[in-house]
Amino acid sequence: MSVSEWTKNDVRNSLPDRAAESHKGTFGIALLVAGSEDMPGAAILSGLGAMRSGLGKLAIATDEAVVSHIVSTLPEATYVRNGRYLLSKNEMELSQYRSIAVGPGLPEDGETRAAVERLLKAEVPVVLDAGAIGGRSYEERNSPTILTPHPGEFARMTGKSIGEIENNRASLVSEWAQRLGVTIVLKGYNTLTSFADGSVYKNSTGNSSLAKGGSGDVLTGMILGMLCCNKSWKYAVLNAIYLHGACADYWVKKRSAHSLLAHEISELLPEVWADVETSQS
Amino acid sequence: MSVSEWTKNDVRNSLPDRAAESHKGTFGIALLVAGSEDMPGAAILSGLGAMRSGLGKLAIATDEAVVSHIVSTLPEATYVRNGRYLLSKNEMELSQYRSIAVGPGLPEDGETRAAVERLLKAEVPVVLDAGAIGGRSYEERNSPTILTPHPGEFARMTGKSIGEIENNRASLVSEWAQRLGVTIVLKGYNTLTSFADGSVYKNSTGNSSLAKGGSGDVLTGMILGMLCCNKSWKYAVLNAIYLHGACADYWVKKRSAHSLLAHEISELLPEVWADVETSQS
Amino acid sequence: MSVSEWTKNDVRNSLPDRAAESHKGTFGIALLVAGSEDMPGAAILSGLGAMRSGLGKLAIATDEAVVSHIVSTLPEATYVRNGRYLLSKNEMELSQYRSIAVGPGLPEDGETRAAVERLLKAEVPVVLDAGAIGGRSYEERNSPTILTPHPGEFARMTGKSIGEIENNRASLVSEWAQRLGVTIVLKGYNTLTSFADGSVYKNSTGNSSLAKGGSGDVLTGMILGMLCCNKSWKYAVLNAIYLHGACADYWVKKRSAHSLLAHEISELLPEVWADVETSQS
Amino acid sequence: MSVSEWTKNDVRNSLPDRAAESHKGTFGIALLVAGSEDMPGAAILSGLGAMRSGLGKLAIATDEAVVSHIVSTLPEATYVRNGRYLLSKNEMELSQYRSIAVGPGLPEDGETRAAVERLLKAEVPVVLDAGAIGGRSYEERNSPTILTPHPGEFARMTGKSIGEIENNRASLVSEWAQRLGVTIVLKGYNTLTSFADGSVYKNSTGNSSLAKGGSGDVLTGMILGMLCCNKSWKYAVLNAIYLHGACADYWVKKRSAHSLLAHEISELLPEVWADVETSQS
Ligand SMILES: Nc1ncnc2c1ncn2[C@@H]1O[C@H](COP(=O)(O)O)[C@@H](O)[C@H]1O
Ligand SMILES: Nc1ncnc2c1ncn2[C@@H]1O[C@H](COP(=O)(O)O)[C@@H](O)[C@H]1O
Ligand SMILES: Nc1ncnc2c1ncn2[C@@H]1O[C@H](COP(=O)(O)O)[C@@H](O)[C@H]1O
Ligand SMILES: Nc1ncnc2c1ncn2[C@@H]1O[C@H](COP(=O)(O)O)[C@@H](O)[C@H]1O
Ligand SMILES: [Mg+2]
Ligand SMILES: [Mg+2]
Ligand SMILES: [Mg+2]
Ligand SMILES: [Mg+2]
């Protein structure tokens, strides 16, 4: 089983254009289902990642109490209050969304599970992260499904030990992507992404400054945003991972790897993205 | 029907002075009616745009629950709690305001409609955006009325299809500005502004980084602010549009067009405005 | 009646030292009574001005509902909840404070008046601004009392018309400072400060970027802070006024005078203060 | 009794690595118990210090009402609501934490005391600051206990007068560290740290810009964070103190010592830390 590296050249050649005559409708609305009482910040982090990543509009479905934490930091978003609950009761319309992400800051409970079931019925790309990564099948999906576990979450999902995973990252991610018919992003040092055909791509950006709470939430948001504007949804996934790591690489040029706050990844993105766009092959 | 371009030269020559001996009363109080439960951030975005644009004081009339989201980001503003409701009941005094904007983040419901009716009775320039753009006549207005629809809102307002609008932007905006006796800002790539006399001005600043939720809210605020300090209210409208786009043009010099957050437009304004002020013709 | 200018040289020679071996107790605790439901931001603005200006600790006495707006912007402060109410009922201990300011964002009501009466019994410098500037005598005060009216507030306070005031600024401010036995800072272009002996000092820093809501609140805070660390309380007043204006002068070097937000004055202060400290005479 | 200086060379040689293949689990979860109704900001300040200092994840146990103040500033943290209360009732699991800090912004009441008692039963390094520094013995502790009093707190703790302390800092801190079997960080100009063996280390970074409310809270957080990633827990303590002061020294290069806000210490840390990491011996 071969692993290809997704290089800076690949990224530059596959980044989306943003046409002069476009408007926010050109890029569509992304739905983020994230944040709960004890982990409210995850909605901010993934929301920031998403709004920096090319979407047209962002709707955040979250618990009533979480909304008030987000508004001052991300006034550009709109809200579906108690969205997770509404989803779990099948009381939320989804037809207007172009891409969906669910999981950052959500508890792994029945309400989350029911909400995820509902979201998977939408015929658009769905990203599952954190509290939404769980044991289920994806047989009825016709649109891309993207799981973004770190090794601990991949262990729970597969029943393997973390050691086993660390020693067989490429073969296991490929095997499970094929078995479930989904895309799996196995995060960590040299993140591996496998598509449902078993192909595996390695990412070489990023560093240990990302080894801190919240950085995965930003990535989920970035994938969500890029799923709204791309030449191919696979590029959206691979490019989000690349740029997320590239922001961290930019950070450590002048700042200690011990001191990055995850929300700062999104603040570095505008320049880092432009650097890749304008770089020479 | 001819379309003139409103150029950098026009802007520089028509920007307001800020006299050495002025005080906040010199520039007057602007009233912003914006923000509701599910779209609270719009009040922040238009409030930031307004306070950066030359007014003396800003009062924000918004729902009780929205106030708490704004204060930490915009401590310079004051509040009229439940202002939209008070307006709809004709229980709010308006005589102290020099300019008014209404709409960002408001639902298109009866309360908004009643509030707008009340505001239109004020003998000062009124900007109508988003939820406040609606089917009504403006016959009794003696002061400037400025509508700021994007093509979708212009379609709903005129009953035309978006395609028809896109193919006849200049003639339609001119026709409707004359018919309603108002100023219409038809937003998007190359925003067109038509005054009630049918004259049309094209704006050439701005780019696709603005094609994202929230950027129109900032523009509404900027027009509101500039209506408090100008050589002519028409200049206020045209210059706000120019500078709003110029901020976006400044952004993309070093940063990706996919990654602008609307509130950052207002952060770029101080330098961009100064650049135009001090530029050579 | 002669008016002296308080120059950059005067400021540099009278700025406080911050001794190497000092601790926060060296500089004492300042009390700020500010902010109410409809003008909550004033507490943030004056709080920021105060904490940037050399005090040891800041306690903000404000309405319960206002506290929650301040914390994220000014985590360094502590709170006396419902402080204005407690003061008005004489239920708040004041012995620990080295200086006091009251008024920004307060309504001119009975509760404010009662709170001010109580504060004036404290034997420390007290700054009265905005809602706390009112008709009363100061005969029983043995410590400095500093009133900071803008011309409109000075008009209400003296019963003169604004026109009369503008035409006789120096003589009126001197007359009333002597009559009331207090310090009066008559704000605006070329702010004039008169001490109870009738001497008048003119300030020449500042510009029309300050002619916007909130800039006076920042000044009140800066005076409060500097009253905690100074070679003489008169220097604290005059230097705060100078540095406040100097921040605005720094702003307009590269940014439009129409676009300053008051809280940004306090962000410019650290460098502007250092510039004066290290300047050559 | 000899006092050694902990120099820049010592710091550079003992700073932790952040291995390329690490993940957030490599650095563990820190628990911060801080913040109460009247001093909510202390939780933000110590939280920022902690998350900038190398930990893997941060959980903040604080009063329900305090959580809402922190989230927008520190979205990377998670929460244990009413954590102090739960601790005082022995209803909070502690096995997942690698290091603990308690005290910033806490009242010295029975609930705090009971919570501290509970925390001291955890077999991990515990930092006691502010409201948690109190009269108790540490005989049953087998893990490092670190007290961080300023002279006033050290006076209350030891029953000595502040004058006595100031005149015998090294001998007293050494005596009490041995007597209690703990580490004591006696803060202030030239902070002294004594370990339970009586050895004393002097810190020479820092300046009077730190003599303002909140700077101690940031230090407590920095120690907490570094206790999660270090070559030895003693290095974590000494290096946190050094870097905290070095940030202040960086500040005064261009900015007045009167104007630092404590949360800005944490904003300077990334570059200051990197400067030491990459400096030549
Ligand atoms: N040592 C590392 N090198 C590169 N990337 C990392 C490292 N540690 C964590 N990351 C990335 O940081 C994010 C952590 O996600 P999570 O564990 O969900 O917070 C993922 O995108 C990881 O790939
Ligand atoms: N492609 C574009 N080029 C230039 N300006 C744009 C473009 N897309 C959107 N805008 C501007 O962004 C704002 C969008 O407003 P709204 O649709 O109400 O959020 C308006 O000022 C538009 O003129
Ligand atoms: N045109 C101006 N030139 C210089 N300073 C001004 C000017 N307008 C206002 N200010 C200052 O801005 C502050 C306004 O205070 P207030 O009216 O209470 O908000 C005072 O410090 C004034 O001295
Ligand atoms: N004059 C000073 N020189 C150096 N460090 C100081 C000075 N004053 C205060 N500090 C530091 O600032 C912090 C104050 O802690 P606290 O009193 O708890 O807020 C401690 O880390 C002190 O060591
Ligand atoms: Mg994660
Ligand atoms: Mg709009
Ligand atoms: Mg004022
Ligand atoms: Mg302390």
Side-chain angles (χ1 to χ4, degrees), chain A residues 129 148 150 153 187-191 205-208 210-217 219 244, chain D residues 19-24:
Chain A
D129 183 33
T148 59
H150 57 54
E153 289 161 343
K187 298 185 295 191
Y189 174 74
N190 281 351
T191 291
T205 61
N207 56 65
S208 61
L210 296 172
K212 198 185 282 182
S215 50
D217 303 329
L219 175 64
H244 179 262
Chain D
E21 305 206 8
S22 58
H23 55 90
K24 66 188 165 195

Side-chain angles (χ1 to χ4, degrees), chain A residues 24, chain B residues 129-130 150 153 187 216-217:
Chain A
K24 67 187 163 196
Chain B
D129 182 33
H150 57 55
E153 289 161 342
K187 297 185 296 192
D217 302 328

Side-chain angles (χ1 to χ4, degrees), chain A residues 16-24 27 51-52 54-56 68 71-72 75-76 78-79 81 270-271 273-274 277, chain B residues 37-42 44-45 69 72-73 150 189 208 211-213 251 254-264:
Chain A
D17 301 320
R18 203 162 184 92
E21 305 205 10
S22 57
H23 54 90
K24 67 187 163 196
F27 304 107
M51 290 219 71
R52 290 274 190 211
L55 51 68
S68 63
V71 181
S72 66
E76 294 82 2
T78 58
Y79 296 91
R81 279 158 198 273
E271 288 196 31
W273 189 325
E277 272 172 343
Chain B
E37 234 196 12
D38 293 344
M39 297 178 285
I44 297 179
L45 295 171
H69 302 314
S72 66
T73 307
H150 57 55
Y189 174 73
S208 61
K212 197 184 283 181
W251 174 268
K254 293 198 175 167
R255 283 156 291 201
S256 170
H258 298 283
S259 62
L260 177 65
L261 299 185
H263 75 264
E264 293 172 318

Side-chain angles (χ1 to χ4, degrees), chain B residues 117-141:
Chain B
E117 291 305 333
R118 172 66 192 91
L119 292 169
L120 289 172
K121 297 220 171 75
E123 296 292 350
V124 295
V126 174
V127 186
L128 304 179
D129 182 33
I133 298 178
R136 71 174 66 79
S137 76
Y138 303 89
E139 286 165 10
E140 292 174 22
R141 293 278 299 158

